[in-house]
Amino acid sequence: MPTMKAAVFVEPGRIELREKPIPDVGPLDALVRVTTTTICGTDVHILKGEYPVARGLTIGHEPVGVIERLGSAVQGYSEGQRVIAGAITPSGWSNACLCGACSQDGAGTLHGWKPMGGWRFGNTIDGCQAEYVLVPDAMANLAPVPDALTDEQVLMCPDIMSTGFSGAERAGIRIGDVVAVFAQGPIGLCATAGAKLSGASVVIGVDRLAGRLQIAGKLGADHVVDISRVDPVEEILRLTDGRGVDVAIEALGTQQTFEAALRVLRPGGTLSSLGVYSTDLKIPLGAFAAGLGDHKIITTLCPGGKERMRRLMSVIETGRVDLGAMVTHRFKLDDIGAAYDLFANQRDGVLKVAISP
Amino acid sequence: MPTMKAAVFVEPGRIELREKPIPDVGPLDALVRVTTTTICGTDVHILKGEYPVARGLTIGHEPVGVIERLGSAVQGYSEGQRVIAGAITPSGWSNACLCGACSQDGAGTLHGWKPMGGWRFGNTIDGCQAEYVLVPDAMANLAPVPDALTDEQVLMCPDIMSTGFSGAERAGIRIGDVVAVFAQGPIGLCATAGAKLSGASVVIGVDRLAGRLQIAGKLGADHVVDISRVDPVEEILRLTDGRGVDVAIEALGTQQTFEAALRVLRPGGTLSSLGVYSTDLKIPLGAFAAGLGDHKIITTLCPGGKERMRRLMSVIETGRVDLGAMVTHRFKLDDIGAAYDLFANQRDGVLKVAISP
Amino acid sequence: MPTMKAAVFVEPGRIELREKPIPDVGPLDALVRVTTTTICGTDVHILKGEYPVARGLTIGHEPVGVIERLGSAVQGYSEGQRVIAGAITPSGWSNACLCGACSQDGAGTLHGWKPMGGWRFGNTIDGCQAEYVLVPDAMANLAPVPDALTDEQVLMCPDIMSTGFSGAERAGIRIGDVVAVFAQGPIGLCATAGAKLSGASVVIGVDRLAGRLQIAGKLGADHVVDISRVDPVEEILRLTDGRGVDVAIEALGTQQTFEAALRVLRPGGTLSSLGVYSTDLKIPLGAFAAGLGDHKIITTLCPGGKERMRRLMSVIETGRVDLGAMVTHRFKLDDIGAAYDLFANQRDGVLKVAISP
Amino acid sequence: MPTMKAAVFVEPGRIELREKPIPDVGPLDALVRVTTTTICGTDVHILKGEYPVARGLTIGHEPVGVIERLGSAVQGYSEGQRVIAGAITPSGWSNACLCGACSQDGAGTLHGWKPMGGWRFGNTIDGCQAEYVLVPDAMANLAPVPDALTDEQVLMCPDIMSTGFSGAERAGIRIGDVVAVFAQGPIGLCATAGAKLSGASVVIGVDRLAGRLQIAGKLGADHVVDISRVDPVEEILRLTDGRGVDVAIEALGTQQTFEAALRVLRPGGTLSSLGVYSTDLKIPLGAFAAGLGDHKIITTLCPGGKERMRRLMSVIETGRVDLGAMVTHRFKLDDIGAAYDLFANQRDGVLKVAISP
């Protein structure tokens, strides 16, 4: 039985490279030879034991690669084709998908949807920090990569770009809106780029790291707010002449950023939440106008599927955004331990790492 | 100077009938002789000092009456015409209004909007529990009452019906949705009716009072859940085979109902909040799927304006809903003290009272 | 090789019962034993040679039946289960589906969508006027029928109800809208029911047949307009005090109804078109306000897929609509020639026929 | 009685400068001293007698100026303030406005809306090609100009930019869409800029004039199609690999462009029409997929009101678009005859002229 290397969750605190069998290909699957992948903040939560997954699971949900073998029922692709798949892999055929809630797909469950049901790679099935990854429901998920784009250019599409942009999209940003984005990590930076791309006339980027605020400026922020120096709520109200923002995007997952996002919102505005929270949240009565402010709070899980990937790659191909600056470090798969160490500790100005098996 | 009787907020605990001057009519105003009005739960908050208004203010925001005098710049109406005005009186000309956030109108403020800025009657200007009420921005707010409808038939339009229906409308209910409505007071009952009217295939009404649950059944609830007997979250999950609801409407304004509404929501579902809260709210991490459930939380303040009133009256006129059962008691304005006493203490199965000056 | 009876398009003017092999079941398919089906107006177009299909094709796209055999990759169903499938059978996995355009699925084509690409039964693959039908992409299309519902109760779901309701849904009908529905054949009647179910306060049904206008009244029309007696444009403007309608639904597919629908529309209103046209259409300059009326013209092809079917059946199960009156005649499959003869010639007040193999 | 110079429609073929009384200021009005204005293609239609207006009417609907005098009921402004008003001047208080159809305002009419009812300047009331213009419903329409912006920088906001952008907005463009814009006159160029600003990943500009195609490239077109050299339908299908466009914007008002826009649309796509047509339109059966292509055709009249103006100016202020290249010629009001001559005959590469009283 042929084997491959894979980064495996051993126990809290340990993700290690192991030899595993190359998986069998079911009728709806595709086996993809991974050429580039990356590490996500969620993987660090898994590493730390903060998000539970099965021991022995291969981690990673952002694959770029080449089709190695196609399932017997898969049509429309050929072996050797370069492809990506989204972090979320909707089946296409579940009730959730057919109802427009693809990320909440509960393929195989009784009622057809469950929270985060569409997130399978490195969560409920083996992921892509490995030499090979098995893509389920391949026809709904494999998106061919245009020849003009390199692996690194599309590496952000499966998760970071899809998630960040969705923060702008789901908020229904309109031309002329004022938008604040709380936290300028990889997802926040993509939300900043997505807000500008959606027609916001003013984008305000918020963070505490000068390096990130500088990149925010390049990706679309008209103003940056350094929370190590000023109170972000006061500063944003000042920047907007007391009017507040039409849309606030939360891209970190803490009470502090969630609450600040709510406090800068104009009456009738929308809080678009992308963060993964780890505690109960508090909604302060005043910030919520006692429930009478015509506010919306919208949460979004990274949209996936091949059409989503196709669209995001087209945005990169025509130069609408350049996320090249996001990949700050490169590692071989054999050195993934060092990559986790760097990324988990946020050393050396790291934003995203590229991993090549 | 001619005077009139008006129910005035004297101090916490005291709303009393006083003589006040009949107000002067500004160029954009209309003076309306009130023929029927009612008391709202919010008025009881004012009475108890829980919601602060100026001492001496006339209370009440649900007027039915007859035009007595028109401002010099008001066109398109005639004195003697029977009209209603919404509880919320948008100016029409503020930035908030022109941006689709009419209830958050900040007419007269620098930036054109503020939370609840559109709620003026009995909040920032004299209300309608009086013989006469001055309607601001009359051209945007006076809605002629069709001859076929009685005062009592349209008495719910200004607030209760507009608010309750908006809970269904803003949630974007689609044909075939399953909807739960938490609390079956006057607003919750209207939300129940509105959910059915919007195409929900299953409406579940939740309350602890048998009388209200019975009316819920008449107004559109397919199932009623008596929280004095069962746990509403468990019961709703049971009724939906574990699937949860597409839309949950909160119509009371408590942590308990807000949280239960969130807990019964399917992934991708919408919590439509109508309640006026009096404390900070807690969002439990699990019920919120850590922010990854594609949930929406939408709050709404009663939509106003003459076009809204016209539409709601048309719904009554063609018999789509019959809110007749909502008026359970009738009082003269002279007896408004007794009316407050009955309503504030929720005695005698009271839902809404009709007050006739 | 086992065979079955099937209604086959032989040549223009001839649809006949033939013996055909019972089809093989591919990995994504399900073989369904048909228990009830019906004839659609489109089938009559095929019969007359007005809509071209391959000779030898089995006709029919409205199946109710029992699962006989499941493809090797199909999970979540069991043989013997009673199911329906929509007239349109989206794959779930095409770009069109993943982009929200499921009816335009181009499964198997290069670019993933084409007009009417989702309509396969009795168009590009064998249909269901037969003893058995092969359902493609079964996991996306098979919807279990609740025990409480009979075959005839769900027989309208696959096409007529889904199409008619979509005319109301895609128009974005809001509570309080005035809606006119042009033509009260089976689809128009369902559009009338769907408009009422969506919250329209006034629904106006238009046709020339007294029997259909009578059923329109039962299904939700507040007013009926008999075009054999009055001019529908004049009459509808009279009924609306010159204001016009918010939404006009076209449910026949002729220049005359399309144009009348446009002429009764208020500025800013929506024309929702369901008809299958057979000629170029003319938009009169005046009716179109020279392109400056903020009008929308929206066309819709019957939405399919198992989640759509589930929702429509839930509407019937909770009694929101009763389409029982739509089935006016019943035939054995052996007598399908007589059924076509009756239906094609619209004799005997026929609305829909039920065919039982 | 003080007088002013004004460009007046005398008879078909003649717009001339005349002396007229400076108008009286009603309670809701504002008198604005015009500092810059321009000529619109619609004005040329009026000049040629193709669009009928009253003889003696002052023409022009794109005013930049300074408040000279405020009506007695107008609050929130001060004399001397620099302002613009939109070409369309909604009242704010009509049923149409309160229903979201502000451009179809029928202020003063019985039912509250009529086609183009919101277009008053130079149509039903005196316009702004004059030394002074009376702005009706001033509180809804006067938008203060930020100090940082010159007259010419905001001169496109009242009509061209508002109209062009609305073509992109009403089409619901999403990130990653492919958009074709038919005709690259001033409105088409703004539609091109608006499509890019809305997130389209590919924008295709179509015209026959090399100079306009060149500007299209600067304002956001990724591809330009010169219809003097190629067939636009064939070329756009070639550019999109046969897939067609998600959105086609028509910005000229002819059968040819309307039809081409329909022919390049993918199934499920949207045709957003901005042109003012002068003949009946034909919808070819095939291009319309017989009514079964899930197409939308949406027409839009220039959105107005002060909030719209505020938003558009904010887009210019933060540099999202630079429409500076649109003003190609400048004239004194005294020379408006020469300006009409140049503009009506499209000589000398004219796009828009600036007129200064």
Side-chain angles (χ1 to χ4, degrees), chain B residues 4-322:
Chain B
M4 64 177 187
K5 292 178 194 160
V8 162
F9 175 71
V10 179
E11 60 180 20
R14 287 177 61 198
I15 288 176
E16 291 180 7
L17 220 53
R18 295 279 167 96
E19 284 290 321
K20 293 180 76 163
I22 295 176
D24 288 337
V25 181
L28 296 173
D29 300 333
L31 183 70
V32 167
R33 178 167 57 77
V34 178
T35 53
T36 308
T37 186
T38 180
I39 299 174
C40 179
T42 312
D43 299 334
V44 176
H45 286 296
I46 292 172
L47 170 64
K48 295 182 178 171
E50 294 165 355
Y51 183 94
V53 301
R55 295 184 181 209
L57 190 81
T58 305
I59 304 306
H61 49 259
E62 297 160 280
V64 186
V66 172
I67 296 175
E68 181 82 10
R69 199 146 54 243
L70 292 165
S72 57
V74 178
Q75 317 151 27
Y77 297 90
S78 54
E79 291 170 9
Q81 219 173 351
R82 196 158 65 105
V83 293
I84 61 173
I88 305 298
T89 48
S91 66
W93 50 261
S94 71
N95 287 73
C97 278
L98 292 163
C99 193
C102 277
S103 298
Q104 309 298 332
D105 196 337
T109 67
L110 181 60
H111 302 293
W113 39 33
K114 57 179 182 182
M116 293 182 275
W119 176 30
R120 296 189 273 181
F121 283 143
N123 180 28
T124 61
I125 64 174
D126 278 333
C128 62
Q129 290 170 9
E131 289 178 293
Y132 295 92
V133 64
L134 199 63
V135 178
D137 296 303
M139 288 188 290
N141 288 297
L142 292 181
V145 179
D147 290 342
L149 296 177
T150 66
D151 276 21
E152 280 196 12
Q153 281 182 294
V154 299
L155 183 58
M156 299 302 113
C157 295
D159 186 348
I160 300 307
M161 184 186 182
S162 186
T163 299
F165 275 32
S166 74
E169 293 165 308
R170 291 254 296 173
I173 290 176
R174 297 184 304 159
I175 290 180
D177 272 352
V178 177
V179 179
V181 183
F182 286 83
Q184 296 294 316
I187 286 178
L189 287 168
C190 286
T192 294
K196 182 174 182 188
L197 199 60
S198 301
S201 59
V202 177
V203 180
I204 304 168
V206 181
D207 206 294
R208 64 170 65 252
L209 298 179
R212 294 185 169 198
L213 291 172
Q214 191 178 8
I215 299 175
K218 286 182 187 157
L219 284 173
D222 299 275
H223 304 283
V224 295
V225 173
D226 181 345
I227 60 169
S228 72
R229 295 164 173 268
V230 294
D231 176 82
V233 174
E234 281 176 22
E235 179 67 6
I236 290 170
L237 290 178
R238 192 187 66 78
L239 285 168
T240 59
D241 294 326
R243 181 179 167 276
V245 302
D246 300 289
V247 169
I249 301 178
E250 199 286 340
L252 185 59
T254 68
Q255 172 66 32
Q256 195 179 15
T257 44
F258 176 83
E259 187 171 328
L262 202 56
R263 288 190 188 283
V264 299
L265 217 52
R266 70 157 168 87
T270 297
L271 192 172
S272 183
S273 168
L274 299 174
V276 186
Y277 300 93
S278 51
T279 64
D280 293 348
L281 284 175
K282 189 183 76 173
I283 300 180
L285 185 65
F288 202 46
L292 301 176
D294 284 313
H295 292 126
K296 297 184 184 179
I297 299 174
I298 296 176
T299 70
T300 309
L301 177 59
C302 177
K306 72 180 175 188
E307 169 70 3
R308 175 71 174 175
M309 293 302 114
R310 182 191 72 74
R311 285 180 161 263
L312 294 178
M313 289 189 287
S314 80
V315 169
I316 293 172
E317 196 173 7
T318 55
R320 290 296 189 268
V321 295
D322 178 0

Side-chain angles (χ1 to χ4, degrees), chain A residues 192-208:
Chain A
T192 294
K196 182 174 181 188
L197 199 61
S198 301
S201 59
V202 179
V203 180
I204 303 168
V206 182
D207 206 295
R208 63 171 66 250

Side-chain angles (χ1 to χ4, degrees), chain C residues 37-123:
Chain C
T37 187
T38 180
I39 299 173
C40 178
T42 311
D43 299 335
V44 175
H45 286 296
I46 291 172
L47 170 64
K48 292 183 179 171
E50 294 165 357
Y51 183 93
V53 300
R55 298 188 179 203
L57 190 81
T58 304
I59 304 306
H61 50 260
E62 296 159 280
V64 186
V66 172
I67 296 175
E68 180 83 9
R69 198 149 51 242
L70 292 165
S72 57
V74 178
Q75 316 153 25
Y77 297 91
S78 55
E79 292 171 9
Q81 218 173 351
R82 198 159 62 108
V83 293
I84 60 172
I88 306 297
T89 48
S91 66
W93 50 263
S94 70
N95 288 74
C97 278
L98 292 162
C99 192
C102 278
S103 298
Q104 309 298 331
D105 195 336
T109 66
L110 182 60
H111 302 293
W113 40 33
K114 57 180 183 179
M116 291 181 275
W119 176 30
R120 296 190 272 179
F121 283 144
N123 180 29

Side-chain angles (χ1 to χ4, degrees), chain C residues 104 111 241 281 283 294 297, chain D residues 104 111 241 281 283 294 297:
Chain C
Q104 309 298 331
H111 302 293
D241 295 326
L281 284 174
I283 300 180
D294 283 313
I297 299 174
Chain D
Q104 310 298 332
H111 303 294
D241 294 327
L281 284 174
I283 299 179
D294 283 312
I297 298 173

Side-chain angles (χ1 to χ4, degrees), chain A:
Chain A
M1 184 189 272
T3 66
M4 64 175 186
K5 293 177 194 162
V8 162
F9 174 73
V10 179
E11 61 181 16
R14 287 176 63 198
I15 289 178
E16 291 178 7
L17 218 55
R18 297 276 168 101
E19 285 290 321
K20 294 181 74 164
I22 295 177
D24 288 337
V25 182
L28 295 173
D29 302 331
L31 182 71
V32 168
R33 179 170 53 82
V34 179
T35 53
T36 309
T37 186
T38 182
I39 299 174
C40 179
T42 311
D43 299 334
V44 175
H45 286 297
I46 292 172
L47 170 64
K48 295 184 178 168
E50 295 166 359
Y51 183 93
V53 302
R55 299 186 176 203
L57 191 80
T58 304
I59 303 308
H61 50 260
E62 297 159 278
V64 185
V66 171
I67 297 176
E68 181 83 10
R69 200 148 52 243
L70 293 166
S72 57
V74 178
Q75 317 152 28
Y77 297 90
S78 53
E79 291 171 9
Q81 218 172 352
R82 199 159 61 106
V83 293
I84 61 173
I88 305 300
T89 47
S91 66
W93 50 262
S94 70
N95 287 73
C97 279
L98 293 162
C99 193
C102 277
S103 297
Q104 310 298 332
D105 194 337
T109 67
L110 182 59
H111 303 293
W113 38 33
K114 57 178 181 182
M116 294 181 274
W119 176 28
R120 295 189 273 178
F121 283 144
N123 181 27
T124 60
I125 65 174
D126 278 332
C128 61
Q129 292 170 7
E131 289 180 289
Y132 295 93
V133 64
L134 199 64
V135 178
D137 294 304
M139 287 188 290
N141 288 298
L142 292 180
V145 179
D147 290 341
L149 296 177
T150 65
D151 276 22
E152 280 196 11
Q153 281 182 295
V154 301
L155 183 58
M156 299 300 112
C157 296
D159 184 348
I160 300 305
M161 183 185 182
S162 186
T163 300
F165 275 34
S166 74
E169 294 164 308
R170 290 254 299 172
I173 290 178
R174 298 184 305 160
I175 289 180
D177 272 353
V178 177
V179 178
V181 182
F182 286 83
Q184 296 294 313
I187 286 178
L189 287 168
C190 287
T192 294
K196 182 174 181 188
L197 199 61
S198 301
S201 59
V202 179
V203 180
I204 303 168
V206 182
D207 206 295
R208 63 171 66 250
L209 298 178
R212 295 187 167 196
L213 291 172
Q214 192 179 4
I215 299 175
K218 286 182 187 156
L219 285 174
D222 300 273
H223 305 282
V224 294
V225 174
D226 180 346
I227 60 169
S228 71
R229 294 162 174 270
V230 295
D231 176 84
V233 174
E234 282 176 21
E235 179 66 6
I236 290 170
L237 291 176
R238 191 187 67 77
L239 286 168
T240 57
D241 295 325
R243 181 179 166 276
V245 303
D246 299 290
V247 168
I249 301 179
E250 201 286 339
L252 185 60
T254 68
Q255 172 66 30
Q256 194 179 15
T257 44
F258 177 83
E259 188 171 329
L262 201 58
R263 288 192 187 282
V264 299
L265 217 52
R266 71 159 169 82
T270 298
L271 192 173
S272 183
S273 169
L274 298 175
V276 186
Y277 301 94
S278 51
T279 63
D280 291 349
L281 285 174
K282 188 183 77 172
I283 299 180
L285 185 65
F288 203 48
L292 301 176
D294 283 314
H295 291 126
K296 296 185 186 180
I297 298 174
I298 296 177
T299 70
T300 308
L301 177 59
C302 177
K306 70 180 177 187
E307 170 70 4
R308 175 69 174 175
M309 293 302 113
R310 184 191 71 76
R311 287 180 159 260
L312 295 178
M313 289 189 285
S314 79
V315 169
I316 291 172
E317 196 174 6
T318 56
R320 290 297 189 269
V321 296
D322 178 359
L323 302 177
M326 307 271 293
V327 176
T328 52
H329 297 74
R330 288 162 190 83
F331 292 85
K332 287 285 167 198
L333 179 59
D334 286 335
D335 304 323
I336 197 164
Y340 265 98
D341 186 55
L342 175 87
F343 187 74
N345 293 294
Q346 292 289 308
R347 281 205 307 269
D348 195 19
V350 64
L351 278 170
K352 289 288 278 187
V353 300
I355 311 280
S356 307

